[in-house]
Amino acid sequence: SNDEFFARSTAAIPGGVNSSIRAFASVGGRPYIVARAQGAHVYDVEGNEYIDLVQSYGAVILGHAHPAVTAAIATAAADGTSYGAPTPREMKLAETIAERVGSCEQVRFMNSGTEATSTAVRLARGYTGRDRVVIFHGNFHGATDALLAAGGSGVATLGLPGTAGVPAGAVAETMVVPYNQVPTLDDTVACVIVEPVAANMGVIAPAPGFLAGLRAECDRVGAVLVFDEVITGFRLGRGGAQDVFDIRPDLTTFGKVIGGGVPVGAVGGRRDLMETLTPLGPVFHSGTLSGNPLATAAGLAALDHLDADAYVELTARAGRLAALLDDACREAGFPARFPVVGTLVGMVCGDIEHPTDFEGAKRTDESAYARFFHAMLAEGVALAPGAYEAIFVGLAHTDDILDRVAERAQRAARAALAAVTR
């Protein structure tokens, strides 16, 4: 059973999970244990079927176990899984990314979004000869010490360690500022790193002029502008958020989508910046599994299916899902809103306005989300086990499946409301 597997996992793995959110700590209860997935569905070890609105936190767009992706992985695996040497596929994937994302004149691969953001920060510091990094409260850039800073008091403040195990020195040169406000920089700033659409504190769009303001302010002081497109890259559109909002960053970090569900990360950007990496420049980067055959094969197969039509379809489905969920909650009298930014859907619980920054996002009613989450799970719909995650819809979520989500959401919203009064 799920409980038996989880109990066994907790003996072998800290907390029973390899990524903390999976433990259901913020929503309560115990996690379902996934045995397999197909298209829009995941199946747990007990054989229960769930309509999956997690989609590996956005890594999967074509649907689980898409035949083109699984065939590409199988073909690649038959040729060997890792060589520690250059391969044609990594070259082709780099060319594919550069062709779609105008700011990426060159691309370097690694194995995760966390590796990508840590490399981007090191690269910006090495290129500029400066130390200070500016991040935005509520943006998430992976498990990199310098980027795991929490805001202290004050409007713009030097960061404090956001987790145990990060020494104060690691974030001493990290400044945390409010999202959707353009900070005033000086010539000590190496880079500004930003999620062009915030997708880790709910889904929050950039305010008009925010991204353009960051571009201008970085240009004014000679700082590097880094877009963290680990979630938005190749999900928001063919050229990512920077194409949608028409802003050209200096560096971009990618993950999730470019591996078609297999672990991968990348940094892309201006040629002069990228050539600051070793072996051409002084900024060290390496990795035995970087650009590995499985990830690059899966990535090429996935991106090959993500043409302009796919994004039109994806945008329509995201809008439809948000409207259906909105209607379901409104009819039940359950207070929730579902903001949409292109292909991304968020959920805000409680009688609050759409947030524009982290302070606003924190007003979401987490206990209401937990009730809705469990009610949806009981109906066979899987959401992320945290109130600040995005809802991910993919090309496998047909109209028929979305209709089923709507029916189940109506019952779940009523159950979530009833759970308060018990």
Side-chain angles (χ1 to χ4, degrees), residues 34-181:
V34 175
R36 65 183 183 88
Q38 184 70 52
H41 297 91
V42 293
Y43 300 85
D44 70 16
V45 292
E46 296 174 8
N48 297 309
E49 178 187 83
Y50 304 93
I51 297 173
D52 181 39
L53 297 177
V54 183
Q55 297 287 298
S56 188
Y57 289 85
V60 175
I61 294 181
L62 303 180
H64 293 294
H66 188 280
V69 175
T70 55
I73 294 170
T75 301
D79 291 333
T81 53
S82 176
Y83 322 125
T87 73
R89 285 194 196 92
E90 61 186 357
M91 170 194 74
K92 289 174 186 168
L93 186 55
E95 288 173 347
T96 299
I97 292 169
E99 181 263 319
R100 291 176 179 225
V101 186
S103 70
C104 293
E105 294 172 352
Q106 289 192 321
V107 181
R108 176 68 70 86
F109 292 110
M110 43 225 65
N111 298 294
S112 67
T114 288
E115 270 187 71
T117 53
S118 64
T119 302
V121 168
R122 190 183 313 128
L123 178 51
R125 284 173 161 166
Y127 179 82
T128 60
R130 303 170 181 180
D131 293 336
R132 183 154 293 177
V133 175
V134 175
I135 64 175
F136 294 89
H137 210 183
N139 281 194
F140 177 67
H141 305 294
T144 299
D145 277 8
L147 301 177
L148 282 173
S153 57
V155 175
T157 177
L158 285 182
L160 308 166
T163 172
V166 172
V171 293
E173 295 294 346
T174 302
M175 182 172 276
V176 187
V177 297
Y179 191 71
N180 269 331
Q181 294 179 38

Side-chain angles (χ1 to χ4, degrees), residues 318-340:
R320 184 162 186 264
L321 175 63
L324 289 169
L325 291 172
D326 210 56
D327 287 348
C329 289
R330 195 167 35 245
E331 281 174 29
F334 180 77
R337 292 185 180 85
F338 297 86
V340 184

